[in-house]
Amino acid sequence: MTTSTTMTIRVSPEVKEKLSRLAHGTRRSKSYLAAEAVSAYVERELEIIEGIQRGLADVEAGRVVSHDDAMAEVYAVIEAAQGRKA
């Protein structure tokens, strides 16, 4: 059995009304839908933050590619794909 905790948030009357409509239309509780939305948001935002942190660690460690080198590789891939098309 999963444990949970209670959290109180403030939303605009418009969001509350839309959540009520969604709950009714999906036959889910407003609490369930709100918890799902918060969970999805937190997961997405953490992935972004962790990606940024990994990128900053790469920069600090010198694991970088210059813009010119990266663009040269992109153009080479594009040219190879165009060559296969022709």
Side-chain angles (χ1 to χ4, degrees):
M1 174 180 232
T2 303
T3 60
S4 64
T5 185
T6 301
M7 188 168 119
T8 303
I9 62 168
R10 292 188 182 277
V11 296
S12 69
E14 293 83 14
V15 170
K16 184 178 179 183
E17 189 273 328
K18 288 177 182 179
L19 182 59
S20 293
R21 287 187 359 228
L22 183 60
H24 179 75
T26 60
R27 296 184 180 174
R28 297 283 192 169
S29 70
K30 290 185 290 186
S31 180
Y32 173 85
L33 295 174
E36 288 292 302
V38 169
S39 179
Y41 173 82
V42 167
E43 289 298 319
R44 186 185 72 235
E45 293 298 309
L46 278 176
E47 285 180 19
I48 292 169
I49 295 299
E50 289 166 355
I52 291 168
Q53 290 170 339
R54 285 190 306 273
L56 291 172
D58 284 342
V59 168
E60 283 188 26
R63 295 184 298 266
V64 295
V65 175
S66 74
H67 176 74
D68 291 338
D69 290 345
M71 292 310 298
E73 188 172 333
V74 167
Y75 291 135
V77 169
I78 291 170
E79 286 179 26
Q82 288 174 337
R84 285 190 300 270
K85 255 184 160 178

